Amino acid sequence: MIKLIPQNRIFVFAGDGPRGPAFKINTKITNIAQMINVPMVCVSLEYTKKIQLNTWDHFQIPLPFGIIKINYKKLHFIEKNEDIEKVNLMLEKELNTK
């Protein structure tokens, strides 16, 4: 993955990673973005009709005939000297705000 990103490939990650905790940005993702100097864009989805599962991540399945709202946030470049924990808190706040 790290070799493919500089070749103009696009990657999408769930911010909380495959194992959670839910709604907390996984530090590995921000470390990679910082290491290879690629931007991050936070995207969240809202559904008017959905099934929400009783799982650790509150997984949602959109239902037919509903509306899906896609929220794009601003582009973030993580500087080499930035504190990753502060970046993660800022991204979490941005993602969890409608």
Side-chain angles (χ1 to χ4, degrees):
M1 174 190 66
I2 291 174
K3 292 177 184 177
L4 293 175
I5 290 176
Q7 298 173 8
N8 294 324
R9 303 292 174 101
I10 296 172
F11 287 85
V12 177
F13 297 98
D16 50 15
R19 294 187 182 101
F23 311 114
K24 295 287 183 185
I25 300 292
N26 187 312
T27 302
K28 291 178 184 179
I29 294 169
T30 46
N31 280 335
I32 290 170
Q34 183 182 46
M35 182 175 68
I36 59 178
N37 195 33
V38 294
M40 295 180 70
V41 177
C42 296
V43 178
S44 62
L45 303 172
E46 294 178 65
Y47 311 109
T48 57
K49 296 183 179 186
K50 65 187 175 204
I51 296 171
Q52 184 164 320
L53 302 181
N54 190 22
T55 58
W56 69 268
D57 59 353
H58 310 286
F59 191 79
Q60 297 177 353
I61 302 168
L63 295 173
F65 309 110
I67 295 171
I68 299 173
K69 181 179 176 185
I70 303 172
N71 304 303
Y72 293 93
K73 306 297 181 169
K74 65 182 183 178
L75 190 68
H76 295 280
F77 277 95
I78 304 171
E79 301 295 327
K80 294 286 184 194
N81 60 349
E82 277 190 85
D83 180 357
I84 290 295
E85 292 302 320
K86 287 183 182 178
V87 170
N88 286 350
L89 289 173
M90 182 265 307
L91 292 173
E92 288 165 12
K93 182 178 179 183
E94 185 174 288
L95 275 174
N96 296 312
T97 304
K98 295 184 180 186

